[in-house]
Amino acid sequence: MKNYTSINDIENINSWIEEAKEIKENPLKNIKLGKNKTLGLLFFNSSLRTRLSTQKAALNLGMDPIVMNVSGDAWGIEFGDGTVMNGNTAEHIKEAAAVVSQYCDIIAVRAFPSLTDRQKDESEHVLKSFVEFASVPIISMESATGHPLQGLTDAITIAENTTKKRPKVVLSWAPHVKALPHAVANSFTQAMQKMDVEFVIANPEGYNLSKEITKDTKIYHNQSAAFKDADFVYTKNWSSYEDYGRVLCTDPTWMITKDKIANAKFMHCLPVRRNVVVEDAVLDSDASLVIEQANNRTYAAQLVLKKILENN
Ligand code: CP
């Protein structure tokens, strides 16, 4: 594996989960693997978990992480080919990616979608430009359409917490005050499709994710029907895909409550808006796995870095 930009880069999710669990048991076992190697983390958008857990993962492998908030601190980057750069952008991605490659052995990039131009967002022009113009491996720390480090984390967390051979996992939309990307829901769906679980999605009418992602996954527009006998309820808001980037529904009856999830474990990638997406009684209960998920972000990132270091 040269790059990790999608859940589809995982050849065998079960063996990856087992390897991640081994890393978690002994995180410093490969402390010499990344000696004298530098990981560059480039953020076009905000982060708490991804920023810290990916640095922690690099440190556990003996790497030196360096971080840059690209949007605030770097020159404005131009991605268009053949553009006459007489506007606000000062540096082309062709030079920027090549230059960062001189300082870093692996580059990790976070770049969210516009949520205004579906075709452009789906082209993944930022992430794909780094893959094209950098001379070192690229890791997605969340792109326009995917969050594969989060999806891998979530697969590890479900495998660790299941008491059944084939648990029922529900991905449920929940309300939110802002229009949010589809990336987490997309990567979670792709990860669940690779696992031996009964996986269904619950979302209001008008909120179906891309058919390219959901494929044959059963979609309910009735949340309580979807939640019947659930072992894991994974919650995330996303804006409409069909009416791209718009908020069509803020119905509070879709908020996750203790009564609704019954005996299921609750999962969310965080950050989460309390009492909008999910009530306090869920997050403050033993049913919540959100802190364990955040912890597992380190081991998912460490597994990906380890595989790239070993293969390059
Ligand atoms: N879950 C997640 O990616 O968190 P951050 O946006 O804080 O990195």
Side-chain angles (χ1 to χ4, degrees):
M1 184 180 74
K2 182 177 179 199
N3 305 305
Y4 183 69
T5 59
S6 161
I7 289 289
N8 293 329
D9 291 326
I10 301 173
E11 314 94 31
N12 181 329
I13 201 158
N14 294 324
S15 72
W16 279 46
I17 289 168
E18 288 312 308
E19 202 172 336
K21 286 196 217 166
E22 285 168 23
I23 290 170
K24 189 172 179 178
E25 276 175 27
N26 189 359
L28 301 180
K29 184 177 170 193
N30 295 294
I31 188 82
K32 292 189 178 148
L33 185 65
K35 190 170 165 17
N36 298 326
K37 302 276 187 191
T38 301
L39 173 66
L41 297 100
L42 305 182
F43 286 91
F44 289 83
N45 308 95
S46 305
S47 169
L48 188 155
R49 280 143 291 273
T50 306
R51 180 167 173 155
L52 296 182
S53 64
T54 311
Q55 286 186 78
K56 176 73 176 168
L59 292 168
N60 284 349
L61 290 165
M63 298 185 80
D64 296 311
I66 52 178
V67 186
M68 186 164 202
N69 294 325
V70 181
S71 294
D73 297 345
W75 303 108
I77 298 178
E78 175 60 48
F79 289 89
D81 199 17
T83 308
V84 178
M85 289 172 55
N86 58 2
N88 290 330
T89 51
E91 172 153 35
H92 202 278
I93 184 63
K94 290 183 181 180
E95 284 78 47
V99 167
V100 178
S101 303
Q102 308 306 304
Y103 314 137
C104 301
D105 300 280
I106 301 173
I107 301 172
V109 180
R110 166 168 280 200
F112 289 174
S114 66
L115 291 180
T116 56
D117 183 338
R118 184 162 98 182
Q119 199 176 2
K120 192 171 180 191
D121 289 344
E122 291 194 328
S123 76
E124 290 283 14
H125 69 288
V126 176
L127 186 65
K128 286 194 174 159
S129 295
F130 273 99
V131 170
E132 183 174 0
F133 299 118
S135 55
V136 299
I138 300 295
I139 296 174
S140 167
M141 294 192 295
E142 187 170 344
S143 67
T145 64
H147 195 350
L149 288 175
Q150 184 69 54
L152 175 57
T153 297
D154 300 330
I156 295 164
T157 309
I158 286 174
E160 283 182 325
N161 284 280
T162 188
T163 54
K164 292 184 183 165
K165 193 168 172 340
R166 192 166 187 273
K168 179 174 178 181
V169 180
V170 185
L171 168 63
S172 178
W173 181 95
H176 201 281
V177 293
K178 289 173 66 180
L180 297 187
H182 309 94
V184 169
N186 286 347
S187 289
F188 184 72
T189 298
Q190 290 175 314
M192 291 307 102
Q193 288 166 345
K194 283 178 176 283
M195 288 180 74
D196 187 15
V197 297
E198 180 191 347
F199 177 59
V200 302
I201 302 175
N203 58 251
E205 300 267 4
Y207 275 91
N208 284 9
L209 295 165
S210 163
K211 189 76 187 137
E212 296 282 308
I213 297 290
T214 57
K215 298 192 168 74
D216 294 331
T217 298
K218 186 165 174 54
I219 298 170
Y220 290 82
H221 299 309
N222 178 329
Q223 198 182 40
S224 62
F227 281 17
K228 190 173 179 310
D229 300 327
D231 297 296
F232 295 88
V233 171
Y234 192 104
T235 302
K236 184 72 184 79
N237 171 271
W238 58 89
S239 55
S240 175
Y241 177 77
E242 297 162 34
D243 197 350
Y244 190 67
R246 290 200 48 212
V247 175
L248 307 177
C249 173
T250 53
D251 181 356
T253 65
W254 277 80
M255 182 177 78
I256 306 302
T257 64
K258 195 92 182 68
D259 284 348
K260 279 187 196 176
I261 66 167
N263 296 320
K265 294 288 187 189
F266 174 77
M267 298 178 72
H268 191 284
C269 63
L270 301 182
V272 69
R273 290 188 183 234
R274 282 176 173 250
N275 305 310
V276 175
V277 173
V278 53
E279 68 174 3
D280 286 339
V282 175
L283 283 169
D284 296 336
S285 75
D286 290 343
S288 175
L289 297 179
V290 298
I291 304 304
E292 199 166 336
Q293 282 174 266
N295 182 34
N296 281 339
R297 288 294 308 270
T298 299
Y299 310 111
Q302 197 169 327
L303 174 62
V304 167
L305 287 169
K306 176 174 175 282
K307 285 185 175 291
I308 291 175
L309 287 168
E310 286 171 342
N311 291 341
N312 291 274

